[in-house]
Amino acid sequence: GAGVSQSPSNKVTEKGKDVELRCDPISGHTALYWYRQSLGQGLEFLIYFQGNSAPDKSGLPSDRFSAERTGGSVSTLTIQRTQQEDSAVYLCASSSRGASGETQYFGPGTRLLVL
Amino acid sequence: AQSVSQHNHHVILSEAASLELGCNYSYGGTVNLFWYVQYPGQHLQLLLKYFSGDPLVKGIKGFEAEFIKSKFSFNLRKPSVQWSDTAEYFCAVNAGRGSTLGRLYFGRGTQLTVWP
């Protein structure tokens, strides 16, 4: 079946502009995660949605970052007033929790470059 | 908070050499353990996982990993590497069964380069 998809695959923006990154999870997966992969920081957790529960936003680096998940499916990560340090690959993952644990499946990522 | 350590940042091997990549984590409770691989230009793919049961788990492409609870380790092994194994390998951990927190904690990754 189809995997996690993300768009755009690449985004170049100017410092100070807002960007929106989109994630389409695997159909039927109840959990959705955003991570960021950068050279200096490795893979960092950003935010987590599980069903109808309040999202875990503990990984968001600043209040310029926000995310929503509409209808329990598609998610959008928004970065306002982008800064050069926001340049990274933004990864989305989805999972369905099984009896013994869950496995997260990752999308191809959006490579963001802030000039 | 949990943390994951991967001891080798870059490993260089010749084809047919044996591989072992170290991974240690810090968390006192039940954990789920994963190895993900990222081939050049591709996205993160699951290599293998441990939830419970036999601590020796086998994954795709001949990889295996052993969970040693007393050492908080989950080392990745392959008896004979191939050029196509050149990739970056990430160890990851999340809280185990029953937890409401599913976020993964990743190690910094190990770049494996295999020379033909």
Side-chain angles (χ1 to χ4, degrees):
Chain A
V4 177
S5 60
Q6 293 185 245
S7 60
S9 53
N10 291 282
K11 177 73 177 179
V12 180
T13 191
E14 294 179 349
K15 178 181 172 180
K17 295 286 180 71
D18 298 351
V19 295
E20 282 190 355
L21 312 179
R22 177 187 168 105
C23 172
D24 281 274
I26 293 171
S27 178
H29 279 189
T30 56
L32 187 148
Y33 301 80
W34 284 97
Y35 295 87
R36 178 169 72 173
Q37 186 176 23
S38 56
L39 279 175
Q41 301 298 322
L43 276 151
E44 304 172 275
F45 165 77
L46 297 177
I47 188 168
Y48 160 45
F49 297 89
Q50 173 62 53
N52 295 321
S53 303
D56 174 4
K57 304 179 182 179
S58 61
L60 294 178
S62 77
D63 58 8
R64 296 185 295 103
F65 287 72
S66 62
E68 62 177 20
R69 188 177 185 193
T70 54
S73 181
V74 171
S75 177
T76 302
L77 177 70
T78 301
I79 309 173
Q80 296 179 309
R81 306 181 302 281
T82 52
Q83 303 294 312
Q84 289 180 333
E85 61 264 28
D86 299 334
S87 296
V89 178
Y90 289 82
L91 298 173
C92 177
S94 71
S95 71
S96 182
R97 185 161 290 178
S100 57
E102 64 169 308
T103 300
Q104 294 179 30
Y105 295 91
F106 285 81
T110 293
R111 186 174 299 275
L112 175 66
L113 178 61
V114 182
L115 300 176
Chain B
Q2 300 177 39
S3 67
V4 180
S5 298
Q6 290 183 242
H7 314 298
N8 311 101
H9 296 298
H10 196 175
V11 173
I12 303 172
L13 295 172
S14 298
E15 274 193 321
S18 63
L19 170 72
E20 180 160 2
L21 301 182
C23 173
N24 286 90
Y25 65 93
S26 64
Y27 183 70
T30 303
V31 291
N32 296 331
L33 299 154
F34 306 84
W35 277 97
Y36 284 88
V37 60
Q38 190 168 28
Y39 297 103
Q42 297 187 26
H43 61 279
L44 275 171
Q45 300 172 39
L46 181 70
L47 201 53
L48 48 77
K49 63 188 178 185
Y50 172 82
F51 288 160
S52 63
D54 188 344
L56 183 62
V57 292
K58 295 190 183 300
I60 60 172
K61 304 187 180 184
F63 286 91
E64 65 179 31
E66 184 175 14
F67 170 49
I68 303 179
K69 188 174 181 180
S70 62
K71 295 184 177 180
F72 297 90
S73 69
F74 190 55
N75 293 354
L76 181 71
R77 299 195 292 249
K78 185 171 183 178
S80 176
V81 295
Q82 301 174 314
W83 175 78
S84 58
D85 293 326
T86 294
E88 191 157 17
Y89 293 79
F90 294 91
C91 181
V93 170
N94 69 5
R97 183 178 180 179
S99 171
T100 59
L101 294 177
R103 59 170 290 186
L104 286 169
Y105 293 82
F106 283 90
R108 296 297 291 265
T110 298
Q111 175 64 47
L112 172 65
T113 301
V114 180
W115 293 102

